């Protein structure tokens, strides 16, 4: 197949750190390994749209309805990965789809997304939770919803290493972002007295200040800031527990990566991330400091590590496994024509 990937313009601001771009690039590499041609499309290009078997749009925005409507005149095999990281209920999300007045082009993002749906052949979601927004909130037929989950990072797909776990909990993210819930993680660490290592962007001095204040003079909390890929892998190999108690999270690839390296996982109960662990992770209420702290402490006190989870993630979320599922979804869409 010849496949075109188009990325929403917002991704240009955050560059290669953009999660949507990362998802598209990983999927593209997997498809190319299976013999397909994947073009990264951009507004400066000049394309023969009819030569593409599938055009896959990643991301959403107010631009989406007019874009897919115009594109559908040249190629009707358009699919979309809207990427919904919402903590709203499907009911509230459904209400938001009515916030728009088409004649004046006054759209809410969800109204715009709903207006785009008639012009697309399929919506690609990463979890059952995300699928619910389309089946319940937008009344989209289930035969147009395709669940293709995300893989762990392909570059860490080596499981031949020896695991020597140390007594600490690891968290990696843009730690200053409120949605990552790091302040509550710090409070849980202080209350339940375990060792915590925080890695990732600290943001500006102003953005980092709430975390600095929460840490205070605690000696059992280490903040590393931005780390290299080699340092990240070393931490995965050594950490006994990886915690991602986010308030809003689409998948949480860092937790999948940590699981492949033998970390026990503490994951938020909000959204789709918990679906990836086959009931082998501790699922917590991210608004409850005690729930976070008790779950981490429990896993740290278990002396063995989790080989079943490690093998489950390695087998089911490799780039090769995910690429097969993605290919099947595309072929199913083309078979409808």
């Amino acid at each position: 197949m010849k496949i075109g990937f188009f990325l929403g313009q917002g991704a240009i601001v955050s560059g290669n750190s953009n999660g949507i771009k990362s998802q598209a690039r990983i999927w593209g590499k997997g498809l190319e390994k299976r013999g397909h041609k994947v073009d990264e499309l951009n507004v400066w290009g000049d394309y023969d749209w009819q030569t593409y078997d599938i055009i896959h749009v990643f991301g959403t925005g107010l631009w989406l309805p007019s874009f897919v409507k115009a594109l559908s005149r040249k190629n009707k095999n358009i699919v979309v990965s809207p990427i919904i990281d919402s903590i709203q209920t499907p009911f509230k999300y459904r209400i938001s789809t009515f916030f728009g007045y088409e004649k004046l082009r006054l759209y809410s993002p969800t109204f715009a997304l709903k207006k785009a749906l008639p012009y697309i052949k399929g919506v690609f979601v990463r979890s059952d939770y995300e699928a619910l927004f389309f089946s319940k909130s937008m009344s989209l037929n289930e035969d147009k919803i395709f669940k293709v989950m995300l893989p762990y990072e392909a570059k860490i797909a080596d499981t031949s290493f020896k695991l020597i776990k140390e007594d600490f909990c690891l968290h990696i993210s843009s730690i200053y972002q409120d949605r990552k819930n790091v302040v509550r993680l710090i409070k849980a660490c202080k209350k339940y007295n375990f060792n915590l290592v925080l890695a990732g962007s600290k943001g500006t001095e102003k953005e980092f200040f709430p975390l600095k204040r929460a840490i205070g003079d605690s000696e059992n909390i280490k903040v590393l800031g931005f780390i290299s890929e080699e340092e990240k892998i070393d931490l995965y190999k050594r950490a006994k527990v990886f915690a991602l108690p986010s308030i809003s999270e689409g998948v949480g690839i860092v937790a999948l990566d940590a699981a492949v390296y033998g970390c026990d996982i503490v994951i938020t109960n909000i959204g789709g991330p918990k679906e990836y662990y086959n009931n082998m992770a501790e699922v917590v209420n991210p608004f409850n400091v005690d729930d976070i702290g008790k779950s981490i402490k429990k896993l740290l006190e278990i002396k063995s590590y989790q080989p079943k989870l490690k093998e489950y993630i390695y087998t089911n979320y490799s780039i090769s496994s995910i690429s097969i599922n993605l290919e099947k979804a595309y072929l199913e869409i083309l078979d409808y024509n």
Side-chain angles (χ1 to χ4, degrees):
M1 285 184 285
K2 183 180 179 183
I3 304 155
F5 278 6
F6 184 85
L7 200 63
Q9 65 261 40
I12 195 173
V13 178
S14 49
N16 288 334
S17 65
N18 182 271
I20 301 175
K21 180 187 285 188
S22 176
Q23 174 181 335
R25 285 257 166 92
I26 292 171
W27 278 5
K29 289 177 182 178
L31 289 167
E32 287 175 342
K33 285 183 179 179
R34 292 193 59 77
H36 304 291
K37 177 175 173 53
V38 179
D39 290 343
E40 294 180 356
L41 309 174
N42 66 74
V43 294
W44 295 98
D46 183 19
Y47 304 104
D48 184 355
W49 296 105
Q50 294 181 356
T51 64
Y52 288 98
D53 296 291
I54 292 284
I55 300 172
H56 197 141
V57 180
F58 291 83
T60 186
L62 302 182
W63 52 272
L64 188 63
S66 58
F67 175 73
V68 295
K69 182 178 181 180
L71 185 58
S72 68
R73 299 189 188 107
K74 299 176 180 293
N75 190 320
K76 295 188 180 300
N77 293 330
I78 304 168
V79 300
V80 178
S81 288
I83 316 295
I84 295 177
D85 297 343
S86 174
I87 63 173
Q88 300 297 332
T89 64
F91 174 74
K92 290 182 179 179
Y93 202 82
R94 180 178 177 81
I95 295 299
S96 71
T97 65
F98 295 99
F99 293 163
Y101 187 59
E102 193 170 7
K103 289 183 178 179
L104 295 179
R105 296 186 179 181
L106 298 175
Y107 297 167
S108 71
T110 46
F111 182 90
L113 176 56
K114 189 174 183 179
K115 295 298 295 183
L117 294 181
Y119 304 102
I120 60 116
K121 290 291 182 68
V123 170
F124 281 67
V125 299
R126 304 161 296 171
S127 64
D128 290 332
Y129 175 83
E130 201 171 42
L132 199 63
F133 284 93
F134 293 94
S135 62
K136 299 297 183 183
S137 304
M138 297 192 177
S139 302
L140 187 66
N141 290 337
E142 291 188 2
D143 62 1
K144 292 186 75 173
I145 302 172
F146 298 86
K147 185 173 76 170
V148 179
M149 300 174 94
L150 298 195
Y152 54 81
E153 293 286 357
K155 54 195 166 189
I156 66 165
D158 173 23
T159 61
S160 62
F161 48 83
K162 183 178 179 180
L163 290 168
I164 302 175
K165 292 297 184 180
E166 299 175 19
D167 186 29
F168 70 91
C169 174
L170 174 64
H171 173 88
I172 300 176
S173 72
S174 295
I175 59 175
Y176 66 92
Q177 293 182 358
D178 289 341
R179 72 184 185 93
K180 296 299 182 179
N181 204 28
V182 178
V183 170
R184 286 193 182 90
L185 180 57
I186 290 168
K187 290 179 179 178
C189 169
K190 294 172 74 171
K191 185 171 182 178
Y192 289 89
N193 193 31
F194 55 81
N195 295 317
L196 176 64
V197 175
L198 302 173
S201 173
K202 297 192 294 184
T204 64
E205 187 175 336
K206 181 180 179 180
E207 289 169 328
F208 180 66
F209 180 75
L211 277 70
K212 184 178 180 180
R213 180 174 55 192
I215 293 169
D217 58 359
S218 298
E219 296 181 356
N220 57 330
I221 301 174
K222 183 183 294 186
V223 181
L224 302 179
F226 183 82
I227 56 174
S228 68
E229 195 64 28
E230 292 74 18
E231 290 171 314
K232 184 189 297 184
I233 291 172
D234 177 63
L235 286 168
Y236 285 147
K237 288 182 178 180
R238 293 191 291 116
K240 178 68 174 65
V241 176
F242 186 93
L244 194 66
S246 307
I247 294 169
S248 172
E249 193 75 58
V251 173
I253 297 297
V254 285
L256 288 179
D257 292 349
V260 170
Y261 278 104
C263 295
D264 284 307
I265 303 299
V266 172
I267 199 78
T268 179
N269 70 0
I270 294 178
K274 59 184 179 293
E275 296 179 25
Y276 281 70
Y277 299 92
N278 198 32
N279 298 317
M280 287 184 279
E282 288 288 315
V283 179
V284 299
N285 176 357
F287 297 103
N288 190 314
V289 169
D290 290 317
D291 200 12
I292 297 169
K294 287 177 181 178
S295 296
I296 294 172
K297 191 73 172 178
K298 171 187 171 182
L299 293 177
L300 285 172
E301 290 174 349
I302 298 173
K303 298 306 177 186
S304 60
Y305 81 99
Q306 45 76 336
K308 289 185 179 180
L309 176 57
K310 173 175 175 284
E311 291 304 319
Y312 177 80
I313 300 295
Y314 181 73
T315 301
N316 289 279
Y317 303 121
S318 67
I319 185 61
S320 58
S321 296
I322 298 303
S323 298
I324 290 171
N325 295 337
L326 186 58
E327 179 186 71
K328 286 180 179 177
Y330 286 161
L331 291 173
E332 186 176 339
I333 288 168
L334 292 174
D335 192 48
Y336 285 152
N337 291 343

